[in-house]
Amino acid sequence: MCRMNNFGHCGRTETPVSKEEALLLMNKNIDVLENAVKLAARQGAHIIVTPEDGIYGWVFTRETIYPYLEDIPDPEVNWIPCTDPQRFGYTPVQQRLSCLAKDNSIYVVANIGDKKPCNASDPQCPPDGRYQYNTDVVFDSEGRLVARYHKYNLFAPEIQFDFPKDSESVTFETPFGKFGIFTCFDIFSHTPAVVVVDEFQVDSVLYPVAWYNTLPLLSAVPFHSAWARAMRVNLLAANTHNTSMHMTGSGIYAPEAVKVYHYDMETESGQLMLSELKSRPRSEPTYPAAVDWSAYARSVKPFLSEQSNFPGMIYFDELTFIELKRNTGNYTVCQKDLCCHLTYEMSEKRTDEVYALGAFDGLHTVEGQYYLQICTLLKCQISDLRTCGEPVGSAFTKLEEFSLSGTFATRYVFPQIILSGSQLAPERYYEVLRDGRLRSRSRTPLPVLVLALYGRVFDKDPPRLGQGPRRLE
């Protein structure tokens, strides 16, 4: 589900509104979600995920978000807002979402805002006397609140919200598997993203996002599907659809395959997606084996080249690149402890299209701090090597064979293949081997924009992705 805000705020919300005005706006957005919920339920869906910011919009200050917030209790209170709306004060949004779930017998996942009062006895209490949290809620098919998750890793512009003091690993059981939930920027983190999968052993992750696509390596659909594949878990990702902010790309991803996705930068119309998933993928014979991401790369000698390396930037990180000058060949490029190996064969190599192999081993420091190891083959924007790493939309050169690997120092590597037009490569065209190679499967010529092995080295991260709790001055 990825329709959002035909009526809501897309500009800055500098002027505070009344609670009544805020509710009017949120109800207009919930009207859009309601149509999707009813359609999904009629088609037999058990659960629907709606986007981050999908009900109240963005960009806020602490003051202007306040009328949109409700007190969201701990699910242990065993509460059905639809039938008992006054129990926790003024909660019309929770009441409506609960009734949507109950009346349509479907689990509903939504992103709203929570408020919790605090006082001077709490040294971290903000000066305005309350904590405000970016919050996911889940209502079961009877309308009961079964999960509440406060976003732990806020993205830099979210000045309206507070960081929770402690990370939460929120999971819940259903008749169709065990679910975890987190939000948008959390996917870069160890806590809670890796923890809910590795330690709590969830079958599926619910994932509301407002994801700004940043090519070439951080576009929603390729990154989210790669995460699901590498973590070997179902991922239900609902992205806000707002092309003016480069936000598009939702999908339902299984460990072994992309089930369905929607990427559309041309229109403002959202899309409801439905797919059937294995409710407990770990017990299925198709469940993928674990990958030793550096096994192959450490077993081979680097390919030597007469060519010199050159630097290039991707999302503020300086990679070490080497140009692919021939139609077929082997290259190695290294940075610090990471060496990336590529074997490839091209057909229809265009003279005006330039490709490069790049490596990055370092701490990313813009809009959060997190340690990366990246191997990537990509098309440069134009034939000038200084454009390698810049966003590219189309490719005419075809790759018939490829094998990409790296000497990663992490178990967490996310394999991506992006084709011309920012489309995903179907699984029948490539495979991820247990020794860590991302390899072509059939000699089908593919117009590749990006091949990437995107590694996260969590033990080299600063605490909480480098963004400590914010305080008002």
Side-chain angles (χ1 to χ4, degrees):
M1 164 69 213
C2 60
R3 175 93 183 239
M4 150 69 187
N5 251 23
N6 287 350
F7 317 97
H9 296 81
C10 286
R12 291 191 170 274
T13 46
E14 303 290 357
T15 312
V17 298
S18 68
K19 243 186 330 192
E20 291 72 25
E21 290 171 304
L23 181 60
L24 188 66
L25 174 103
M26 289 191 286
N27 272 325
K28 285 182 176 180
N29 283 330
I30 297 172
D31 288 344
V32 178
L33 302 182
E34 179 173 352
N35 291 333
V37 169
K38 288 180 173 176
L39 184 58
R42 280 201 301 269
Q43 296 184 58
H46 292 93
I47 190 165
I48 183 169
V49 187
T50 64
E52 183 184 22
D53 302 335
I55 289 174
Y56 51 74
W58 63 76
V59 171
F60 292 96
T61 65
R62 285 187 69 84
E63 290 69 38
T64 58
I65 191 72
Y66 185 66
Y68 296 83
L69 307 180
E70 296 183 359
D71 185 356
I72 305 169
D74 188 307
E76 288 180 357
V77 299
N78 190 24
W79 179 43
I80 301 176
C82 187
T83 56
D84 189 6
Q86 303 304 318
R87 185 173 163 195
F88 294 98
Y90 181 76
T91 55
V93 172
Q94 291 173 86
Q95 179 188 355
R96 187 167 176 198
L97 293 171
S98 167
C99 291
L100 268 179
K102 180 175 180 290
D103 294 347
N104 294 282
S105 298
I106 188 173
Y107 280 67
V108 172
V109 183
N111 177 257
I112 56 178
D114 190 8
K115 60 182 179 183
K116 291 286 177 276
C118 56
N119 58 42
S121 65
D122 174 359
Q124 291 184 305
C125 181
D128 55 18
R130 60 183 183 263
Y131 289 108
Q132 302 182 167
Y133 300 118
N134 179 333
T135 308
D136 297 330
V137 289
V138 183
F139 295 95
D140 71 9
S141 54
E142 296 176 345
R144 183 176 287 102
L145 179 68
V146 292
R148 178 195 67 184
Y149 169 70
H150 294 146
K151 186 177 182 182
Y152 185 59
N153 297 285
L154 295 175
F155 198 55
E158 292 186 86
I159 57 169
Q160 70 270 37
F161 291 122
D162 295 296
F163 289 93
K165 291 176 189 170
D166 302 303
S167 70
E168 307 170 300
S169 294
V170 174
T171 66
F172 61 96
E173 296 278 358
T174 74
F176 43 93
K178 184 177 182 179
F179 286 80
I181 187 166
F182 52 78
T183 313
C184 208
F185 196 43
D186 284 324
I187 204 168
F188 285 94
S189 69
H190 188 267
T191 303
V194 171
V195 171
V196 296
V197 178
D198 283 2
E199 295 179 24
F200 288 84
Q201 297 279 296
V202 297
D203 300 302
S204 302
V205 170
L206 306 168
Y207 186 48
V209 303
W211 186 284
Y212 178 99
N213 289 315
T214 311
L215 297 168
L217 298 180
L218 292 177
S219 192
V221 170
F223 192 84
H224 300 160
S225 57
W227 190 91
R229 183 179 189 122
M231 297 303 295
R232 300 185 294 157
V233 70
N234 295 324
L235 182 68
L236 288 70
N239 195 6
T240 297
H241 189 78
N242 186 317
T243 56
S244 66
M245 297 180 72
H246 297 275
M247 290 178 177
T248 185
S250 299
I252 299 172
Y253 312 111
E256 74 283 356
V258 172
K259 291 297 186 178
V260 61
Y261 74 95
H262 177 251
Y263 176 94
D264 170 23
M265 280 294 290
E266 305 303 317
T267 73
E268 284 304 317
S269 58
Q271 183 78 30
L272 174 69
M273 286 171 300
L274 291 130
S275 184
E276 194 170 291
L277 290 169
K278 302 280 196 307
S279 59
R280 291 174 177 82
R282 294 172 197 273
S283 59
E284 293 290 333
T286 54
Y287 191 61
V291 175
D292 181 346
W293 286 103
S294 64
Y296 177 79
R298 292 190 189 283
S299 73
V300 297
K301 289 181 178 165
F303 303 118
L304 301 175
S305 171
E306 304 291 312
Q307 294 170 223
S308 54
N309 297 337
F310 63 94
M313 300 295 287
I314 295 182
Y315 195 41
F316 309 102
D317 297 322
E318 187 175 289
L319 281 74
T320 302
F321 281 109
I322 190 166
E323 184 185 353
L324 311 188
K325 288 204 165 174
R326 301 183 299 278
N327 283 4
T328 181
N330 305 296
Y331 283 101
T332 296
V333 66
C334 301
Q335 187 179 101
K336 296 185 188 167
D337 296 331
L338 178 68
C339 284
C340 304
H341 306 307
L342 174 70
T343 300
Y344 71 96
E345 185 179 325
M346 290 175 174
S347 63
E348 305 166 46
K349 170 80 167 75
R350 292 266 295 249
T351 54
D352 60 343
E353 292 191 322
V354 171
Y355 288 77
L357 173 67
F360 180 73
D361 184 357
L363 186 68
H364 176 83
T365 58
V366 176
E367 293 175 328
Q369 297 188 23
Y370 41 92
Y371 201 97
L372 299 173
Q373 287 188 323
I374 300 169
C375 291
T376 183
L377 157 70
L378 48 77
K379 183 194 164 190
C380 305
Q381 195 176 60
I382 56 176
S383 55
D384 184 337
L385 293 179
R386 288 173 296 187
T387 67
C388 297
E390 295 290 318
V392 186
S394 61
F396 295 95
T397 297
K398 304 290 200 315
L399 224 58
E400 279 194 7
E401 284 195 7
F402 56 82
S403 172
L404 179 66
S405 61
T407 56
F408 293 97
T410 176
R411 293 193 292 130
Y412 301 101
V413 177
F414 311 122
Q416 300 184 43
I417 304 181
I418 307 173
L419 303 183
S420 189
S422 292
Q423 297 302 303
L424 291 185
E427 284 82 7
R428 64 183 177 275
Y429 294 141
Y430 71 94
E431 59 190 339
V432 176
L433 301 184
R434 291 180 67 173
D435 63 11
R437 278 178 287 173
L438 175 59
R439 193 174 74 171
S440 53
R441 202 174 222 159
S442 62
R443 289 184 59 88
T444 306
L446 297 175
V448 170
L449 290 180
V450 181
L451 291 180
L453 295 171
Y454 189 100
R456 280 285 286 111
V457 187
F458 295 115
D459 56 10
K460 292 189 176 183
D461 279 358
R464 205 198 291 255
L465 302 195
Q467 300 185 76
R470 267 190 210 88
R471 294 300 304 272
L472 286 176
E473 296 301 324

